[in-house]
Amino acid sequence: MLGMWTFLATEILFFGGLFAAYTVYRSEYFAAFVAGSEHLDVTLGTINTLVLIASSLTMALAVHAAQMGKKSLAAFLAATIVLGAVFLGIKAVEWHHDYVEGMVPGIAWEPERWQAEGIAPREVQIFFLLYFCMTGLHALHMIVGFGVLGFMFFGARRGWFTPSYYNPVEIAGLYWHFVDIVWIFLFPLLYLIRH
Amino acid sequence: MHSAIPTVRSYFIVFGCLVLLTLLTSGIAFLPIGNLHTPVGLVIAVTKAILVVCFFMHLLHSGRVSWVMIGAALFMLFVMFYLTLADFFTRSKFNTEPRATADITPLVSCRTVRDGACPPSPLTPG
Amino acid sequence: MSTIVADLRPGVPSEPATSEPNYINVSYGVKSWLLTVDHKRIGILYLLSITVMFFFGGLFAVLIRLELLTPKGDLFQADTYNKLFTMHGIVMLFFFLIPSIPSVLGNFVLPLMIGARDLAFPKLNLASWYIYLVGAIFTLWAIVQGGVDTGWTFYTPYSSTYSNSYVLLAAVGILILGFSSILTGLNFVVTVHKMRAPGLTWFRLPLFIWSIYATSIIMLLGTPVITITLALVAVERVLHVGIFDPRLGGDPILFQHLFWFYSHPAVYIMILPSMGVVSEIVSVFARKDVFGYKVVAFASMAIAILGFLVWAHHMFVSGLSVYAALIFSLLSFLVAIPSAVKVFNWTATLYKGSISYQTPMLYAFGFIGLFTIGGLTGLFLATLAIDVHVTDTYFVVAHFHYIMVGGAIMGYLGGIHYWWPKMTGRLYPETWARIAAGIIFIGFNLTFFPQFVLGYLGMPRRSHEYPEEWQVLNVMSTAGASILGLGYVIPLVYLCWSLYWGKLAGPNPWGGTTLEWQTSSPPPPENFQVTPVVTERPYAYVEESALVH
């Protein structure tokens, strides 16, 4: 348990570097960040946030089921994974849309639309670069989370966990909740930048 | 003091709060509150994070060492932000206009170069 | 505890085994070593790996010093020279110094010193080593392909946009290595919290453990930042976007902030464990309790914490705001205080001690003197006005080599010699070891003291040419480097020699009081036959007797 809390401490600094870069550039290029943020889909972002929070609920319920020795443990773990997959599915939709619209720096980037709005393309590019790096890193962590939760699901089905031994489930839960917390910060900072 | 095992009901209550806070933060984004968007958004996000950490992650029940570990990480994060921004936010305030190259005296001591003028050395990153 | 025979040669008739197997001969075969989860074996695996990397890094140093024998750039082209000093820095810092004491001595000694059977996560420990290897392979691949020429500091936008060298490979290698560091730190922290022997309270821990603990905190909190920063550089290189490129809207100073946020604490990762080793050695070889134990323990933690607050002293001339520069200068002065406190405490430990001059003690003396010089010159550099004059000159190079070579490596060698009997069950040949220590000390000072002078006179670093009048000092430096190189090769020879022909060591050849000396040399796989119980402070020396039970 202490091991996982310690690991999460390192993850705070890992994402922290990106948040620091974000903070610096947001203060320098605020108008461009607003413009970029307004091009992100707040509805999909809100739905995604709710989905991820729901997955945190199912994760907490899974740990609870493990504590109580209930059979619903496996079901809650599966629900968590499914909700996580829904999250990634929606993210994929968003990213595809960004790609089609030419808002992916380095891969599919159209500076003209920004020039038309009077925003410096290179400033907005930093916003989108940070957007993709931060949500990409977050998605990567979710995929790792799927592996961990899948392993727990496998174990739950085989009856590895009892009320006196459910530590791995709780540790997996800590990781998953952390991933949720990162998104809780990413959502307003990326999607809700307004004048 | 919390009971050893949080109830399912408490989880749902926390979930409900989180949902409400999410809808709140998204809704506020459409209001014309100008500069307040950032602090309000951050306050809501921090509140949600605290709810998750305390109730879903049971930090309140974990050993003090875990608190210290997370606290240390948050402190270092704060340091990284604070001192980095201390640089960026005060540059225009304290640094003067860049001078023409001819005005800049060479950083490298010229005593040992025998003949003529010492070339001005460009400022290089430390 | 009976004497264990450590014979590493299969097929050679060994002396009759008087008791249980030790961690070396409990199983044979490459697979038993490559798939081991025994912290002692993993420590040896690291020892071998970092020694190989040390000689790579040393090779680059030799080439650099050869080039600098003459004022003109006649041995190498400027670009090649850039690659030499870059690879010297990268290999030495990331693949030798950072893992050296923590991964070799920390891995081996930490569980023994706290009376534990192994680390908290033995499999993770093995994974850390493999991750280290993968990182090393990427970096060696970068070298073989042609090297990196950006300086180990990877300053942007040169590294992210303009350099034509193999930045991506090296950056990926280092960021992979970061994970090895993080996992090792995690293992150590959890082990120290959770696996101490009964009766071993925090203030009964040996000071080596305190310093490893403080180092682990730095590894945990700092390394993730360099990982993400190098990842961003990689993204920038691959996608040609501009997070650090001013042409594309980025800020190169942001890179420097993020880079140095880790890389300054990294130098404390390199020095703190050495300080811990010195604390142990000074106590054992002066047969005296370390003066001010609690103060030294807190000083280790203070160095770890304050070390995170000073990073921009590497950036004083890069365009930093003057206000920020002032703050960082002040904080840099503060971080010198706990280091100085330690030096005073070691000195006070020596006072009225019963001092013997075995090789570990010689290295400890070398450390104390050379680290003091290095540390004081660090204060010169923390002073804004002086830094403007000597930054990017050989003054800085001399300063950090005094700390890293005169300090950290001396501490490492001292530790290797001190714990060699425990690790191998053999004693190294004392006379040769003292000769080597002397050669290293002389060679080191001859190499780097002239560099202080050169730097003050203005010789810039990272340059393969220099004005003629500085040649004498450079030749002195190169001569010193050859002596130093010789000094490093000698221990390699006699330490290997001692494995087969060294005198057998008993469980406690030095008369130490810490727990690792209460088990056999080499230790059995489970470390202790019976879990030790600790009832008193770690350095409870009594005038006549060596062991205090």
mmCIF file of all heavy atoms in Angstrom, chain B residues 20-58:
data_model
loop_
_atom_site.group_PDB
_atom_site.id
_atom_site.type_symbol
_atom_site.label_atom_id
_atom_site.label_comp_id
_atom_site.label_asym_id
_atom_site.label_seq_id
_atom_site.Cartn_x
_atom_site.Cartn_y
_atom_site.Cartn_z
ATOM 1 N N LEU B 20 -22.466 16.485 -9.462
ATOM 2 C CA LEU B 20 -22.959 17.863 -9.375
ATOM 3 C C LEU B 20 -21.842 18.862 -9.633
ATOM 4 O O LEU B 20 -22.010 19.848 -10.371
ATOM 5 C CB LEU B 20 -23.567 18.116 -7.988
ATOM 6 C CG LEU B 20 -24.964 17.544 -7.765
ATOM 7 C CD1 LEU B 20 -25.379 17.704 -6.326
ATOM 8 C CD2 LEU B 20 -25.964 18.249 -8.686
ATOM 9 N N LEU B 21 -20.698 18.621 -9.005
ATOM 10 C CA LEU B 21 -19.581 19.555 -9.181
ATOM 11 C C LEU B 21 -19.128 19.594 -10.635
ATOM 12 O O LEU B 21 -18.742 20.655 -11.155
ATOM 13 C CB LEU B 21 -18.411 19.164 -8.273
ATOM 14 C CG LEU B 21 -18.623 19.469 -6.792
ATOM 15 C CD1 LEU B 21 -17.535 18.834 -5.948
ATOM 16 C CD2 LEU B 21 -18.642 20.982 -6.563
ATOM 17 N N THR B 22 -19.170 18.438 -11.309
ATOM 18 C CA THR B 22 -18.770 18.412 -12.717
ATOM 19 C C THR B 22 -19.729 19.249 -13.550
ATOM 20 O O THR B 22 -19.299 20.083 -14.361
ATOM 21 C CB THR B 22 -18.775 16.966 -13.254
ATOM 22 O OG1 THR B 22 -17.968 16.151 -12.410
ATOM 23 C CG2 THR B 22 -18.248 16.921 -14.678
ATOM 24 N N LEU B 23 -21.028 19.030 -13.335
ATOM 25 C CA LEU B 23 -22.005 19.803 -14.113
ATOM 26 C C LEU B 23 -21.870 21.285 -13.795
ATOM 27 O O LEU B 23 -21.972 22.148 -14.677
ATOM 28 C CB LEU B 23 -23.419 19.308 -13.797
ATOM 29 C CG LEU B 23 -23.674 17.861 -14.246
ATOM 30 C CD1 LEU B 23 -25.007 17.349 -13.727
ATOM 31 C CD2 LEU B 23 -23.624 17.764 -15.772
ATOM 32 N N LEU B 24 -21.562 21.575 -12.539
ATOM 33 C CA LEU B 24 -21.392 22.966 -12.131
ATOM 34 C C LEU B 24 -20.234 23.612 -12.879
ATOM 35 O O LEU B 24 -20.342 24.709 -13.437
ATOM 36 C CB LEU B 24 -21.123 23.011 -10.621
ATOM 37 C CG LEU B 24 -21.034 24.398 -9.988
ATOM 38 C CD1 LEU B 24 -22.379 25.076 -10.073
ATOM 39 C CD2 LEU B 24 -20.588 24.291 -8.536
ATOM 40 N N THR B 25 -19.092 22.897 -12.890
ATOM 41 C CA THR B 25 -17.917 23.499 -13.509
ATOM 42 C C THR B 25 -18.117 23.670 -15.014
ATOM 43 O O THR B 25 -17.685 24.675 -15.598
ATOM 44 C CB THR B 25 -16.639 22.699 -13.167
ATOM 45 O OG1 THR B 25 -15.500 23.486 -13.434
ATOM 46 C CG2 THR B 25 -16.537 21.424 -13.935
ATOM 47 N N SER B 26 -18.807 22.713 -15.628
ATOM 48 C CA SER B 26 -19.064 22.876 -17.063
ATOM 49 C C SER B 26 -20.025 24.017 -17.302
ATOM 50 O O SER B 26 -19.851 24.802 -18.244
ATOM 51 C CB SER B 26 -19.647 21.591 -17.655
ATOM 52 O OG SER B 26 -18.714 20.560 -17.599
ATOM 53 N N GLY B 27 -21.038 24.122 -16.439
ATOM 54 C CA GLY B 27 -22.018 25.191 -16.618
ATOM 55 C C GLY B 27 -21.412 26.563 -16.443
ATOM 56 O O GLY B 27 -21.673 27.488 -17.220
ATOM 57 N N ILE B 28 -20.578 26.689 -15.441
ATOM 58 C CA ILE B 28 -19.972 27.997 -15.151
ATOM 59 C C ILE B 28 -19.143 28.481 -16.323
ATOM 60 O O ILE B 28 -18.996 29.691 -16.546
ATOM 61 C CB ILE B 28 -19.131 27.910 -13.861
ATOM 62 C CG1 ILE B 28 -20.060 27.801 -12.663
ATOM 63 C CG2 ILE B 28 -18.217 29.115 -13.722
ATOM 64 C CD1 ILE B 28 -19.349 27.752 -11.343
ATOM 65 N N ALA B 29 -18.591 27.532 -17.098
ATOM 66 C CA ALA B 29 -17.776 27.941 -18.238
ATOM 67 C C ALA B 29 -18.551 28.798 -19.215
ATOM 68 O O ALA B 29 -17.949 29.569 -19.972
ATOM 69 C CB ALA B 29 -17.224 26.707 -18.943
ATOM 70 N N PHE B 30 -19.888 28.689 -19.191
ATOM 71 C CA PHE B 30 -20.674 29.480 -20.138
ATOM 72 C C PHE B 30 -21.072 30.827 -19.570
ATOM 73 O O PHE B 30 -21.684 31.634 -20.250
ATOM 74 C CB PHE B 30 -21.935 28.695 -20.548
ATOM 75 C CG PHE B 30 -21.597 27.479 -21.349
ATOM 76 C CD1 PHE B 30 -21.635 26.213 -20.773
ATOM 77 C CD2 PHE B 30 -21.211 27.591 -22.676
ATOM 78 C CE1 PHE B 30 -21.308 25.088 -21.518
ATOM 79 C CE2 PHE B 30 -20.876 26.471 -23.419
ATOM 80 C CZ PHE B 30 -20.926 25.222 -22.844
ATOM 81 N N LEU B 31 -20.734 31.080 -18.289
ATOM 82 C CA LEU B 31 -21.115 32.353 -17.687
ATOM 83 C C LEU B 31 -20.008 33.376 -17.915
ATOM 84 O O LEU B 31 -18.832 33.041 -17.916
ATOM 85 C CB LEU B 31 -21.328 32.175 -16.183
ATOM 86 C CG LEU B 31 -22.464 31.243 -15.772
ATOM 87 C CD1 LEU B 31 -22.490 31.129 -14.255
ATOM 88 C CD2 LEU B 31 -23.787 31.775 -16.291
ATOM 89 N N PRO B 32 -20.390 34.638 -18.070
ATOM 90 C CA PRO B 32 -19.374 35.665 -18.330
ATOM 91 C C PRO B 32 -18.752 36.192 -17.035
ATOM 92 O O PRO B 32 -19.025 37.309 -16.615
ATOM 93 C CB PRO B 32 -20.164 36.754 -19.051
ATOM 94 C CG PRO B 32 -21.549 36.624 -18.497
ATOM 95 C CD PRO B 32 -21.761 35.179 -18.148
ATOM 96 N N ILE B 33 -17.919 35.398 -16.384
ATOM 97 C CA ILE B 33 -17.343 35.881 -15.130
ATOM 98 C C ILE B 33 -15.890 36.289 -15.280
ATOM 99 O O ILE B 33 -15.193 36.520 -14.311
ATOM 100 C CB ILE B 33 -17.483 34.832 -14.004
ATOM 101 C CG1 ILE B 33 -16.896 33.485 -14.450
ATOM 102 C CG2 ILE B 33 -18.918 34.685 -13.591
ATOM 103 C CD1 ILE B 33 -16.872 32.459 -13.347
ATOM 104 N N GLY B 34 -15.431 36.352 -16.535
ATOM 105 C CA GLY B 34 -14.114 36.924 -16.798
ATOM 106 C C GLY B 34 -12.988 36.222 -16.074
ATOM 107 O O GLY B 34 -12.806 35.017 -16.178
ATOM 108 N N ASN B 35 -12.236 37.004 -15.310
ATOM 109 C CA ASN B 35 -11.043 36.472 -14.653
ATOM 110 C C ASN B 35 -11.320 35.380 -13.653
ATOM 111 O O ASN B 35 -10.427 34.636 -13.281
ATOM 112 C CB ASN B 35 -10.306 37.592 -13.921
ATOM 113 C CG ASN B 35 -9.439 38.374 -14.855
ATOM 114 O OD1 ASN B 35 -9.122 37.906 -15.939
ATOM 115 N ND2 ASN B 35 -9.082 39.586 -14.464
ATOM 116 N N LEU B 36 -12.546 35.291 -13.180
ATOM 117 C CA LEU B 36 -12.853 34.324 -12.130
ATOM 118 C C LEU B 36 -12.905 32.885 -12.612
ATOM 119 O O LEU B 36 -12.926 31.960 -11.808
ATOM 120 C CB LEU B 36 -14.196 34.672 -11.479
ATOM 121 C CG LEU B 36 -14.178 35.883 -10.549
ATOM 122 C CD1 LEU B 36 -15.578 36.125 -9.998
ATOM 123 C CD2 LEU B 36 -13.213 35.677 -9.401
ATOM 124 N N HIS B 37 -12.940 32.721 -13.946
ATOM 125 C CA HIS B 37 -13.053 31.340 -14.459
ATOM 126 C C HIS B 37 -11.977 30.441 -13.905
ATOM 127 O O HIS B 37 -12.238 29.322 -13.475
ATOM 128 C CB HIS B 37 -12.961 31.330 -15.996
ATOM 129 C CG HIS B 37 -14.277 31.540 -16.658
ATOM 130 N ND1 HIS B 37 -14.513 32.550 -17.553
ATOM 131 C CD2 HIS B 37 -15.430 30.845 -16.567
ATOM 132 C CE1 HIS B 37 -15.773 32.475 -17.969
ATOM 133 N NE2 HIS B 37 -16.347 31.457 -17.387
ATOM 134 N N THR B 38 -10.739 30.936 -13.923
ATOM 135 C CA THR B 38 -9.621 30.089 -13.495
ATOM 136 C C THR B 38 -9.717 29.705 -12.028
ATOM 137 O O THR B 38 -9.701 28.514 -11.698
ATOM 138 C CB THR B 38 -8.280 30.786 -13.778
ATOM 139 O OG1 THR B 38 -8.283 31.225 -15.121
ATOM 140 C CG2 THR B 38 -7.132 29.844 -13.548
ATOM 141 N N PRO B 39 -9.819 30.670 -11.107
ATOM 142 C CA PRO B 39 -9.878 30.246 -9.706
ATOM 143 C C PRO B 39 -11.100 29.386 -9.382
ATOM 144 O O PRO B 39 -10.972 28.402 -8.660
ATOM 145 C CB PRO B 39 -9.926 31.572 -8.926
ATOM 146 C CG PRO B 39 -10.062 32.639 -9.904
ATOM 147 C CD PRO B 39 -9.738 32.119 -11.247
ATOM 148 N N VAL B 40 -12.253 29.728 -9.957
ATOM 149 C CA VAL B 40 -13.445 28.921 -9.669
ATOM 150 C C VAL B 40 -13.245 27.494 -10.155
ATOM 151 O O VAL B 40 -13.521 26.520 -9.451
ATOM 152 C CB VAL B 40 -14.691 29.559 -10.331
ATOM 153 C CG1 VAL B 40 -15.861 28.595 -10.301
ATOM 154 C CG2 VAL B 40 -15.067 30.853 -9.627
ATOM 155 N N GLY B 41 -12.757 27.365 -11.391
ATOM 156 C CA GLY B 41 -12.527 26.028 -11.946
ATOM 157 C C GLY B 41 -11.565 25.231 -11.078
ATOM 158 O O GLY B 41 -11.759 24.046 -10.819
ATOM 159 N N LEU B 42 -10.515 25.898 -10.628
ATOM 160 C CA LEU B 42 -9.514 25.197 -9.818
ATOM 161 C C LEU B 42 -10.086 24.797 -8.462
ATOM 162 O O LEU B 42 -9.828 23.691 -7.973
ATOM 163 C CB LEU B 42 -8.278 26.071 -9.622
ATOM 164 C CG LEU B 42 -7.313 26.061 -10.804
ATOM 165 C CD1 LEU B 42 -6.182 27.040 -10.574
ATOM 166 C CD2 LEU B 42 -6.762 24.661 -11.042
ATOM 167 N N VAL B 43 -10.866 25.694 -7.864
ATOM 168 C CA VAL B 43 -11.454 25.367 -6.564
ATOM 169 C C VAL B 43 -12.354 24.146 -6.690
ATOM 170 O O VAL B 43 -12.304 23.217 -5.866
ATOM 171 C CB VAL B 43 -12.227 26.573 -5.992
ATOM 172 C CG1 VAL B 43 -13.171 26.142 -4.894
ATOM 173 C CG2 VAL B 43 -11.262 27.627 -5.490
ATOM 174 N N ILE B 44 -13.177 24.131 -7.736
ATOM 175 C CA ILE B 44 -14.066 22.975 -7.934
ATOM 176 C C ILE B 44 -13.243 21.709 -8.158
ATOM 177 O O ILE B 44 -13.526 20.643 -7.584
ATOM 178 C CB ILE B 44 -15.027 23.221 -9.112
ATOM 179 C CG1 ILE B 44 -15.957 24.390 -8.794
ATOM 180 C CG2 ILE B 44 -15.815 21.964 -9.434
ATOM 181 C CD1 ILE B 44 -16.930 24.724 -9.901
ATOM 182 N N ALA B 45 -12.196 21.818 -8.993
ATOM 183 C CA ALA B 45 -11.375 20.632 -9.274
ATOM 184 C C ALA B 45 -10.706 20.124 -7.997
ATOM 185 O O ALA B 45 -10.671 18.914 -7.737
ATOM 186 C CB ALA B 45 -10.330 20.958 -10.332
ATOM 187 N N VAL B 46 -10.177 21.030 -7.196
ATOM 188 C CA VAL B 46 -9.523 20.619 -5.961
ATOM 189 C C VAL B 46 -10.522 19.956 -5.025
ATOM 190 O O VAL B 46 -10.226 18.936 -4.386
ATOM 191 C CB VAL B 46 -8.838 21.824 -5.281
ATOM 192 C CG1 VAL B 46 -8.436 21.482 -3.866
ATOM 193 C CG2 VAL B 46 -7.623 22.260 -6.076
ATOM 194 N N THR B 47 -11.730 20.509 -4.965
ATOM 195 C CA THR B 47 -12.761 19.905 -4.112
ATOM 196 C C THR B 47 -13.046 18.480 -4.556
ATOM 197 O O THR B 47 -13.118 17.555 -3.746
ATOM 198 C CB THR B 47 -14.056 20.733 -4.177
ATOM 199 O OG1 THR B 47 -13.754 22.105 -3.976
ATOM 200 C CG2 THR B 47 -15.055 20.263 -3.135
ATOM 201 N N LYS B 48 -13.218 18.305 -5.873
ATOM 202 C CA LYS B 48 -13.480 16.958 -6.376
ATOM 203 C C LYS B 48 -12.330 16.028 -6.036
ATOM 204 O O LYS B 48 -12.521 14.884 -5.610
ATOM 205 C CB LYS B 48 -13.678 16.995 -7.898
ATOM 206 C CG LYS B 48 -15.019 17.596 -8.304
ATOM 207 C CD LYS B 48 -15.000 18.080 -9.741
ATOM 208 C CE LYS B 48 -15.201 16.943 -10.710
ATOM 209 N NZ LYS B 48 -15.197 17.438 -12.104
ATOM 210 N N ALA B 49 -11.109 16.517 -6.216
ATOM 211 C CA ALA B 49 -9.948 15.676 -5.936
ATOM 212 C C ALA B 49 -9.925 15.272 -4.468
ATOM 213 O O ALA B 49 -9.647 14.114 -4.136
ATOM 214 C CB ALA B 49 -8.667 16.413 -6.321
ATOM 215 N N ILE B 50 -10.208 16.217 -3.597
ATOM 216 C CA ILE B 50 -10.204 15.898 -2.165
ATOM 217 C C ILE B 50 -11.255 14.846 -1.851
ATOM 218 O O ILE B 50 -11.011 13.904 -1.086
ATOM 219 C CB ILE B 50 -10.430 17.172 -1.329
ATOM 220 C CG1 ILE B 50 -9.199 18.073 -1.436
ATOM 221 C CG2 ILE B 50 -10.703 16.828 0.127
ATOM 222 C CD1 ILE B 50 -9.352 19.388 -0.714
ATOM 223 N N LEU B 51 -12.437 14.979 -2.484
ATOM 224 C CA LEU B 51 -13.485 13.974 -2.258
ATOM 225 C C LEU B 51 -12.994 12.584 -2.671
ATOM 226 O O LEU B 51 -13.167 11.603 -1.939
ATOM 227 C CB LEU B 51 -14.747 14.328 -3.054
ATOM 228 C CG LEU B 51 -15.606 15.451 -2.483
ATOM 229 C CD1 LEU B 51 -16.702 15.839 -3.464
ATOM 230 C CD2 LEU B 51 -16.222 15.024 -1.161
ATOM 231 N N VAL B 52 -12.374 12.515 -3.847
ATOM 232 C CA VAL B 52 -11.906 11.205 -4.321
ATOM 233 C C VAL B 52 -10.824 10.666 -3.397
ATOM 234 O O VAL B 52 -10.836 9.503 -2.995
ATOM 235 C CB VAL B 52 -11.367 11.306 -5.769
ATOM 236 C CG1 VAL B 52 -10.742 9.994 -6.194
ATOM 237 C CG2 VAL B 52 -12.482 11.685 -6.718
ATOM 238 N N VAL B 53 -9.874 11.528 -3.029
ATOM 239 C CA VAL B 53 -8.760 11.061 -2.205
ATOM 240 C C VAL B 53 -9.242 10.594 -0.831
ATOM 241 O O VAL B 53 -8.821 9.553 -0.318
ATOM 242 C CB VAL B 53 -7.700 12.168 -2.056
ATOM 243 C CG1 VAL B 53 -6.734 11.843 -0.952
ATOM 244 C CG2 VAL B 53 -6.959 12.359 -3.360
ATOM 245 N N CYS B 54 -10.118 11.354 -0.241
ATOM 246 C CA CYS B 54 -10.520 11.008 1.127
ATOM 247 C C CYS B 54 -11.495 9.852 1.171
ATOM 248 O O CYS B 54 -11.394 8.992 2.044
ATOM 249 C CB CYS B 54 -11.126 12.221 1.822
ATOM 250 S SG CYS B 54 -9.886 13.443 2.236
ATOM 251 N N PHE B 55 -12.453 9.832 0.233
ATOM 252 C CA PHE B 55 -13.501 8.828 0.352
ATOM 253 C C PHE B 55 -13.272 7.600 -0.511
ATOM 254 O O PHE B 55 -13.504 6.488 -0.083
ATOM 255 C CB PHE B 55 -14.863 9.449 0.049
ATOM 256 C CG PHE B 55 -15.266 10.438 1.101
ATOM 257 C CD1 PHE B 55 -15.132 11.796 0.878
ATOM 258 C CD2 PHE B 55 -15.720 10.008 2.326
ATOM 259 C CE1 PHE B 55 -15.475 12.706 1.861
ATOM 260 C CE2 PHE B 55 -16.070 10.915 3.312
ATOM 261 C CZ PHE B 55 -15.941 12.271 3.083
ATOM 262 N N PHE B 56 -12.820 7.803 -1.753
ATOM 263 C CA PHE B 56 -12.600 6.626 -2.589
ATOM 264 C C PHE B 56 -11.247 5.983 -2.306
ATOM 265 O O PHE B 56 -11.091 4.777 -2.418
ATOM 266 C CB PHE B 56 -12.677 6.996 -4.079
ATOM 267 C CG PHE B 56 -14.074 7.233 -4.575
ATOM 268 C CD1 PHE B 56 -14.300 7.807 -5.814
ATOM 269 C CD2 PHE B 56 -15.179 6.876 -3.826
ATOM 270 C CE1 PHE B 56 -15.587 8.023 -6.294
ATOM 271 C CE2 PHE B 56 -16.469 7.083 -4.288
ATOM 272 C CZ PHE B 56 -16.670 7.668 -5.523
ATOM 273 N N MET B 57 -10.254 6.804 -1.968
ATOM 274 C CA MET B 57 -8.914 6.259 -1.772
ATOM 275 C C MET B 57 -8.597 6.039 -0.299
ATOM 276 O O MET B 57 -7.505 5.595 0.028
ATOM 277 C CB MET B 57 -7.862 7.185 -2.396
ATOM 278 C CG MET B 57 -7.987 7.266 -3.907
ATOM 279 S SD MET B 57 -7.003 8.566 -4.641
ATOM 280 C CE MET B 57 -5.437 7.761 -4.800
ATOM 281 N N HIS B 58 -9.518 6.375 0.573
ATOM 282 C CA HIS B 58 -9.376 6.091 2.004
ATOM 283 C C HIS B 58 -8.100 6.670 2.594
ATOM 284 O O HIS B 58 -7.506 6.058 3.477
ATOM 285 C CB HIS B 58 -9.394 4.580 2.293
ATOM 286 C CG HIS B 58 -10.526 3.861 1.627
ATOM 287 N ND1 HIS B 58 -10.358 2.675 0.954
ATOM 288 C CD2 HIS B 58 -11.831 4.170 1.500
ATOM 289 C CE1 HIS B 58 -11.528 2.292 0.460
ATOM 290 N NE2 HIS B 58 -12.428 3.166 0.774
#
